[in-house]
């Protein structure tokens, strides 16, 4: 169904944006103990309610870099690393106060300094040569997943390459890969049928098992860390009818800027939100996914954004409240970028 697929393209780009806009005010707040959870509930209720005038909620680096990836793919018709690197740098220098990671700014400075002669070198030099394991690759990967959704091997290859402009640590790259293949799975599922959560995780485990095995020998502290997290996730989601307590989710999956401690968490939030969650009052499973992700605290914009991308890719555009979208900066532009990606993919 092509209409549905187009709606999913628009929806996943809107998910990136809205999760980011809604999550960023709560970064590193403790939402579990101090009544902030209720503040969030009321704020989202109001945003979805009758129109009222307020300054738009601004997006951060997550959406800024996602927009660069989408625009580059649409305008070049392929992954062009130099073009993409130039867009990242230009976008950063135009709006440096979008909340970028502390380390990645050095990459931008060096790229500009060497005039993009070696676009991969600055990232390799990060953190004494071990590369960044931040979630910056994963947070911006959605357009790659959309662009390459018909070809799994290509999706892996493009994700690796696009990530390596800033993140070369295996944890950073595989986090981006995990998010990309999860978006792809969402894209290919029918939202009119109940999602089989265990099958969804099982499929991710199979894929990450292969990916992490192929990369063995790069001496990580722990072998196959993403596969292990996915196994933990499967346990967390199936053990308890009520669902695990948020403290348990944070303890086992994490909620910080490390890709390993945020990508599995975002996937968990999307899957958990298939069913009602105590304390999150909404009938809308897409809003539930984003709201739940934010209540876990920590890196709320990024985990909210990645959970939103998954929910948007699964449900499509219809589940987004039009009132809420009016309060998010550049929402029409992000939906349109999803559509342009759809057009690019379908005319190739
Ligand atoms: O990964 P990155 O783009 O940051 C993304 C995050 C998201 O939450 C955004 O919303 C924004 O807030 O930032 O940027 P990096 O600077 O590459 O990584 C983020 C941070 O992770 C770094 O500034 C470091 O504090 C930490 N980090 C590391 N620390 C030690 N050793 C990343 N890699 C390493 C490492 O190898
Ligand atoms: Mg951010
Ligand atoms: Mg963040």
């Amino acid at each position: 169904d092509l209409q549905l697929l187009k709606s999913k393209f628009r929806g996943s780009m809107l998910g990136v944006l809205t999760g980011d806009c809604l999550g960023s005010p709560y970064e590193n707040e403790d939402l579990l103990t101090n009544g902030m959870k209720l503040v969030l509930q009321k704020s989202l209720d109001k945003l979805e309610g009758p129109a009222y005038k307020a300054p738009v909620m601004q997006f951060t680096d997550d959406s800024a870099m996602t927009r660069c990836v989408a625009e580059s793919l649409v305008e070049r018709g392929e992954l062009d690393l130099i073009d993409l690197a130039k867009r990242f740098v230009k976008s950063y220098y135009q709006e440096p106060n979008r909340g970028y990671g502390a380390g990645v700014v050095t990459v931008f400075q060096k790229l500009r300094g060497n005039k993009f002669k070696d676009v991969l070198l600055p990232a390799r030099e990060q953190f004494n040569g071990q590369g960044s394991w931040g979630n910056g690759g994963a947070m911006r990967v959605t357009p790659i997943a959309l662009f390459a959704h018909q070809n799994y091997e290509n999706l892996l290859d493009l994700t690796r390459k696009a990530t390596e402009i800033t993140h070369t640590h295996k944890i950073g790259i595989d986090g981006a890969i995990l998010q990309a293949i999860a978006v792809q799975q969402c894209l290919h599922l029918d939202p009119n049928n109940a999602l089989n959560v265990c099958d969804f995780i099982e499929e991710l485990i199979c894929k990450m098992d292969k990916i992490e095995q192929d990369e063995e020998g790069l001496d990580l502290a722990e072998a196959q860390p993403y596969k292990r997290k996915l196994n933990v996730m499967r346990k967390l989601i199936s053990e308890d009818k009520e669902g695990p307590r948020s403290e348990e989710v944070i303890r086992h999956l994490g909620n910080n800027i490390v890709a390993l401690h945020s990508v599995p968490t975002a996937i968990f939030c999307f899957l958990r939100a298939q069913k009602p969650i105590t304390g999150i009052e909404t009938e809308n499973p897409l809003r539930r996914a984003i709201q739940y992700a934010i209540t876990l605290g920590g890196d709320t914009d990024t985990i909210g954004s990645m959970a939103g991308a998954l929910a948007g890719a699964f449900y499509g555009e219809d589940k987004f409240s039009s009132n809420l979208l009016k309060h998010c900066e550049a929402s029409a532009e992000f939906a349109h970028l999803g559509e342009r990606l759809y057009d690019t993919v379908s005319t190739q």
Side-chain angles (χ1 to χ4, degrees):
D1 182 347
L2 296 180
Q3 279 311 315
L4 175 61
L5 190 60
K6 189 191 283 187
S7 167
K8 282 167 166 272
F9 270 63
R10 290 171 60 94
S12 55
M13 288 299 287
L14 285 174
V16 171
L17 177 76
T18 54
D20 181 18
C21 290
L22 295 170
S24 77
Y26 300 92
E27 236 180 313
N28 297 317
E29 290 273 2
D30 185 353
L31 286 107
L32 301 180
T33 53
N34 62 5
M36 284 303 280
K37 218 165 154 176
L38 200 59
V39 171
L40 174 63
Q41 172 74 38
K42 291 197 167 142
S43 157
L44 290 180
D45 288 346
K46 189 169 179 213
L47 290 163
E48 286 189 348
Y52 65 97
K53 274 221 181 342
V56 286
M57 290 180 292
Q58 295 200 317
F59 63 73
T60 77
D61 60 325
D62 306 57
S63 302
M65 294 190 85
T66 300
R67 179 168 66 179
C68 292
V69 175
E71 285 176 344
S72 180
L73 289 169
V74 165
E75 279 165 36
R76 309 296 302 171
E78 61 178 350
L79 179 63
D80 176 339
L81 290 184
I82 295 181
D83 179 74
L84 182 54
K86 285 182 177 165
R87 286 175 197 271
F88 286 156
V89 169
K90 187 172 174 202
S91 167
Y92 168 71
Y93 281 102
Q94 273 174 355
E95 297 176 324
N97 298 323
R98 291 270 186 194
Y100 285 86
V104 76
V105 171
T106 309
V107 176
F108 299 145
Q109 287 162 348
K110 288 184 180 175
L111 282 170
R112 194 167 74 159
N114 82 18
K115 302 216 162 52
F116 303 91
K117 279 214 182 61
D118 188 346
V119 278
L120 298 178
L121 183 63
R124 270 192 249 122
E125 293 176 343
Q126 290 294 91
F127 301 99
N128 300 315
Q130 70 158 12
S132 172
W133 60 42
N135 53 21
M139 76 186 184
R140 62 174 192 246
V141 82
T142 292
I144 305 267
L146 299 178
F147 181 78
H149 80 97
Q150 292 155 311
N151 181 337
Y152 178 73
E153 290 306 321
N154 194 229
L155 187 153
L156 299 185
D157 183 47
L158 297 189
T159 298
R160 261 190 206 102
K161 289 182 172 140
T163 302
E164 281 170 351
I165 298 176
T166 51
H167 293 66
T168 62
H169 194 291
K170 199 171 118 139
I171 291 286
I173 294 173
D174 286 352
I177 288 179
L178 175 56
Q179 174 68 8
I181 62 183
V183 170
Q184 186 201 30
Q185 285 182 200
C186 286
L187 217 53
H188 293 171
L189 287 166
D190 182 352
N192 299 307
N193 301 332
L195 184 126
N196 187 324
V197 169
C198 289
D199 287 357
F200 191 95
I201 299 175
E202 209 57 55
E203 202 177 325
L204 290 176
I205 290 176
C206 282
K207 290 170 180 166
M208 289 315 291
D209 176 53
K210 169 119 183 35
I211 289 158
E212 291 185 310
Q213 253 176 41
D214 290 351
E215 291 170 345
E216 208 107 61
L218 287 163
D219 58 55
L220 281 184
E222 166 193 25
Q224 299 194 301
Y226 284 99
K227 184 185 171 192
R228 198 186 73 80
K229 285 279 185 209
L230 289 164
N231 276 310
V232 170
M233 186 193 308
R234 182 173 50 185
K235 271 217 180 103
L236 274 177
I237 219 155
S238 51
E239 245 170 23
D240 195 342
K241 272 263 172 298
E242 289 291 291
R245 284 156 30 82
S246 295
E247 289 84 350
E248 291 296 298
V249 177
I250 297 166
R251 192 160 65 86
H252 289 289
L253 298 180
N255 65 354
N256 61 45
I257 41 120
V258 181
L260 184 63
H261 304 149
S262 49
V263 177
T265 315
I267 296 170
F268 174 83
C269 289
F270 160 64
L271 295 173
R272 176 67 187 86
Q274 300 296 307
K275 287 197 227 152
I277 302 172
T278 313
I280 295 183
E281 309 299 330
T282 174
E283 298 292 303
N284 179 340
L286 180 139
R287 169 175 161 184
R288 191 185 297 134
I290 294 175
Q291 186 175 340
Y292 178 54
I294 298 170
T295 62
L296 295 180
D299 192 2
T300 46
D301 61 339
T302 306
I303 300 174
S305 178
M306 294 190 296
L310 296 167
F314 180 65
Y315 296 108
E317 187 180 12
D318 295 353
K319 285 273 185 286
F320 287 89
S321 148
S322 57
N323 286 333
L324 180 125
L325 289 180
K326 289 189 194 109
H327 293 289
C328 294
E329 181 184 4
S331 58
E333 187 192 339
F334 271 71
H336 185 57
L337 268 175
E339 183 148 348
R340 289 172 71 200
L341 277 163
Y342 174 83
D343 291 339
T344 304
V345 171
S346 51
T347 55
Q348 268 181 346

